[in-house]
Amino acid sequence: MSQTYRSSRSASPETVSFETAIIQGLGKDGGLFIPSAIPQVSQETMFSQWSKLSFQDLAFEIMKLYVNESEIPHADLKDLINKSYSTFRSEEVTPLNKNLIEGDNINILELFHGPTYAFKDVALQFVGNLFEYFLNRGNGDLPKEQRKKITVVGATSGDTGSAAIYGLRGKKDISVFILYPTGRISPIQEEQMTTVPDKNVQTLSVKGTFDNCQDIVKAIFADKEFNENHNVGAVNSINWARILAQITYYFYSYFKISGSNPDIKIKFVVPSGNFGDILAGYFAKKMGLPVQKLVIATNENDILDRFLKSGDYARSGDVKATLSPAMDILISSNFERLLWYLARDQLANGDDIKAGEILSKWFSDLKSQGKFSVGPEVIKAALVDFDSERVSDPEILETIKQTYETSTSPKNYILDPHTAVGVKAVYNQKAKDSNSKDIQYISLSTAHPAKFASAVDAALRNYSAYSFEKDVLPADLKKLSALPKKIKLIERADIELIKATIDEELSKMDL
Ligand SMILES: *Cc1c(COP(=O)(O)O)cnc(C)c1O
């Protein structure tokens, strides 16, 4: 079967190649790219073949269903996958910590064994290699001045920036500029971003807020002339390659529990912000993986939880700053992809074009009125695959404490605050599930606790045996503070100043 991609807001039959979907990122109409068909995998293939594969081999089996061999030959796809996951500290890439608490059926899927200790590495290590692959192929042996280059510009409130930098460091013909608000990210986050020595990477520490940084990045994308001169690229969470790379760990962890037995009941619980992580689970389920439910766990920024309860997708006033900052969002950008499937499932014969029209209307309402509403039949359809839980800051602290006290394998397990949102959501689900004894819960762990020291300390500092330095901080993060930092200070949050700085730094990089 040949695979192509269409935009979620398109009312035309037109589709684009995988390469265009990845390099362009967003549809010309502002929609998100979705595969023209979700490949179907039989129970036989899954439980007698895939269940025995390594993470890398499984990733290959999945990805080749979404990327035509005529676009990326299988040998190249394999190389890309192997290279991307060779940077992980765990041989299993995303190991499953089974049965964390004796008798509780809670299993922690550790997604933080990549170079920056965050789940985004699983996708961004692959995306960086994929960008480089496509550029190299087009550029061949052209001399420096004639080669196509990409300038990646992004803003971070702390966590995503480092995963993007580690995905792109040292990549040929790509430069990366990450803006962050001076003094408003944690010391470890700053060290991770600014100690990368590669010449194609530059962080910009901007006097201002995260919103200032994000507004400047948006303005740079909208600046036609700058864009044409620099080929500005993004690796943000709506890129299809990020979703694709994340599908693997749903299958992989499922098989760690089920083995070749398809009758085990499994629920995934996913700390969610932009809905990219859990959306990959939706694709796994639609491919045929017999998941019972995907549980959306939100913090106090709860647009997704409110939607599933009311049918209104509505921006609330302001983003709340919570203990799980990587989930602090007003709008979940990837949710649009799910909405497209929900809209289409209501239509006779799964009409793609009509679905695009409906989505387009919903998102123009969101833009003009700050909200849109869907009918009860759409919510009913969503609840077949999803459920949701909202978790507050006090509950995060309580859950870190409780898990530290009750975990048995290993003892004194320390959750990061995002993972704690998921674990609390598991307990909420268990209280509702009358058959909870028969269900295995896989709770996704999205970050290493060392990255969120203040929340972890706030929860655990009263335990006399606890020490952040000894129990939490990994040796290679400890080493970062001694390395030289490469920081460019930007005195004002001003787009012209930042454009000029990028130009100046680009000429120094001499790529
Ligand atoms: C990005 C992130 C999330 C949220 O993932 P989404 O794909 O945006 O839903 C959760 N936890 C951590 C630590 C993250 O970095």
Side-chain angles (χ1 to χ4, degrees):
M1 192 193 69
S2 168
Q3 187 68 270
T4 55
Y5 291 83
R6 60 179 294 108
S7 161
S8 58
R9 295 187 201 176
S10 162
S12 107
E14 190 197 336
T15 58
V16 301
S17 67
F18 177 72
E19 178 170 355
T20 301
I22 299 318
I23 298 293
Q24 196 178 302
L26 199 64
K28 292 226 163 71
D29 49 19
L32 275 57
F33 288 114
I34 37 189
S36 51
I38 299 180
Q40 299 299 300
V41 187
S42 71
Q43 292 243 326
E44 161 73 17
T45 302
M46 282 189 281
F47 290 98
S48 51
Q49 296 171 34
W50 286 16
S51 61
K52 300 181 182 75
L53 298 178
S54 68
F55 182 95
Q56 288 85 342
D57 290 346
L58 185 56
F60 172 69
E61 292 302 322
I62 293 165
M63 288 190 190
K64 76 180 198 209
L65 302 174
Y66 289 95
V67 186
N68 298 332
E69 193 175 10
S70 56
E71 270 199 76
I72 301 183
H74 285 169
D76 292 0
L77 184 59
K78 267 193 181 147
D79 286 348
L80 281 169
I81 291 168
N82 289 336
K83 189 173 168 194
S84 301
Y85 299 116
S86 67
T87 55
F88 279 62
R89 292 176 302 278
S90 165
E91 203 174 309
E92 292 197 86
V93 185
T94 61
L96 185 68
N97 189 350
K98 278 201 231 175
N99 242 330
L100 177 67
I101 301 164
E102 186 76 53
D104 259 8
N105 294 4
I106 299 182
N107 308 277
I108 304 283
L109 175 53
E110 294 184 346
L111 302 175
F112 55 73
H113 295 280
T116 76
Y117 291 81
F119 107 90
K120 290 187 175 69
D121 288 329
V122 180
L124 284 167
Q125 287 291 302
F126 178 70
V127 170
N129 287 320
L130 199 58
F131 268 57
E132 184 182 54
Y133 176 82
F134 284 137
L135 274 177
N136 260 344
R137 192 158 68 178
N139 284 333
D141 294 329
L142 287 173
K144 204 148 98 175
E145 2 6 291
Q146 290 171 29
R147 301 176 75 84
K148 177 175 170 177
K149 302 196 174 80
I150 294 183
T151 308
V152 170
V153 184
T156 185
S157 56
D159 210 36
T160 37
S162 54
I165 286 173
Y166 276 76
L168 296 168
R169 62 186 288 190
K171 300 283 184 253
K172 200 170 164 63
D173 299 320
I174 302 177
S175 56
V176 49
F177 293 88
I178 300 291
L179 284 64
Y180 67 89
T182 306
R184 298 190 192 214
I185 67 174
S186 77
I188 282 197
Q189 289 170 334
E190 184 168 57
E191 284 163 11
Q192 277 189 309
M193 290 199 287
T194 57
T195 55
V196 172
D198 304 71
K199 72 169 186 177
N200 72 327
V201 174
Q202 183 62 57
T203 52
L204 304 174
S205 175
V206 181
K207 267 201 177 154
T209 62
F210 170 63
D211 286 332
N212 295 149
C213 294
Q214 201 167 34
D215 288 345
I216 289 171
V217 170
K218 280 188 193 150
I220 285 176
F221 275 91
D223 185 324
K224 222 170 154 207
E225 191 190 332
F226 192 81
N227 232 302
E228 269 164 21
N229 291 336
H230 294 84
N231 220 340
V232 181
V235 289
N236 49 25
S237 72
I238 50 90
N239 198 294
W240 167 252
R242 287 183 61 172
I243 311 296
L244 175 60
Q246 290 164 186
I247 297 175
T248 308
Y249 51 71
Y250 284 90
F251 282 95
Y252 188 70
S253 60
Y254 194 105
F255 297 143
K256 286 283 150 191
I257 289 181
S258 72
S260 55
N261 177 4
D263 298 324
I264 303 281
K265 292 191 174 63
I266 292 179
K267 276 191 176 183
F268 283 98
V269 181
V270 188
S272 295
N274 271 321
F275 204 74
D277 194 355
I278 197 166
L279 183 72
Y282 177 76
F283 279 96
K285 192 167 191 288
K286 293 293 152 180
M287 287 168 78
L289 192 67
V291 176
Q292 296 279 308
K293 274 279 161 67
L294 299 158
V295 181
I296 304 165
T298 77
N299 63 21
E300 294 171 32
N301 296 289
D302 57 354
I303 183 168
L304 295 169
D305 187 55
R306 283 184 283 122
F307 174 80
L308 277 192
K309 296 194 161 84
S310 69
D312 292 339
Y313 195 69
R315 220 183 265 276
S316 60
D318 287 310
V319 188
K320 283 197 192 126
T322 72
L323 294 173
S324 48
M327 294 154 60
D328 289 349
I329 46 92
L330 280 181
I331 292 290
S332 290
S333 44
N334 272 296
F335 196 58
E336 177 164 352
R337 287 190 168 105
L338 174 66
L339 285 166
W340 186 86
Y341 287 103
L342 292 176
R344 194 186 61 155
D345 289 349
Q346 306 299 314
L347 303 165
N349 310 321
D351 185 336
D352 291 359
I353 292 183
K354 197 80 199 283
E357 283 170 9
I358 295 173
L359 258 280
S360 202
K361 168 82 171 65
W362 282 345
F363 279 87
S364 78
D365 286 354
L366 183 65
K367 198 165 178 196
S368 60
Q369 295 155 34
K371 67 170 271 190
F372 62 81
S373 303
V374 304
E377 67 292 347
V378 173
I379 296 302
K380 199 171 154 214
L383 291 173
V384 172
D385 298 312
F386 291 95
D387 203 349
S388 69
E389 301 289 348
R390 174 191 194 271
V391 175
S392 68
D393 270 0
E395 289 173 319
I396 289 177
L397 295 176
E398 193 48 46
T399 306
I400 295 174
K401 263 191 226 170
Q402 191 194 330
T403 306
Y404 181 77
E405 283 181 14
T406 56
S407 57
T408 45
S409 145
K411 281 203 166 73
N412 299 134
Y413 190 77
I414 298 177
L415 301 173
D416 105 285
H418 304 80
T419 308
V421 170
V423 170
K424 174 64 185 170
V426 172
Y427 284 108
N428 292 351
Q429 286 279 302
K430 280 170 68 100
K432 294 178 209 164
D433 289 337
S434 57
N435 58 341
S436 66
K437 283 267 166 282
D438 304 327
I439 298 177
Q440 287 292 334
Y441 299 84
I442 298 183
S443 200
L444 275 57
S445 176
T446 51
H448 189 287
K451 298 199 73 169
F452 298 94
S454 59
V456 173
D457 273 343
L460 300 180
R461 70 175 144 241
N462 288 335
Y463 293 90
S464 56
Y466 162 79
S467 147
F468 182 79
E469 291 275 318
K470 188 167 68 51
D471 301 335
V472 182
L473 195 60
D476 45 337
L477 288 185
K478 213 176 284 186
K479 276 189 247 153
L480 291 180
S481 62
L483 298 178
K485 289 199 187 82
K486 205 167 82 175
I487 301 180
K488 184 88 194 167
L489 263 169
I490 309 286
E491 285 300 327
R492 272 172 297 122
D494 174 86
I495 177 165
E496 294 308 322
L497 185 58
I498 288 179
K499 276 164 37 184
T501 307
I502 292 178
D503 273 328
E504 187 191 321
E505 293 299 321
L506 270 174
S507 64
K508 282 193 224 156
M509 285 176 186
D510 187 31
L511 300 176

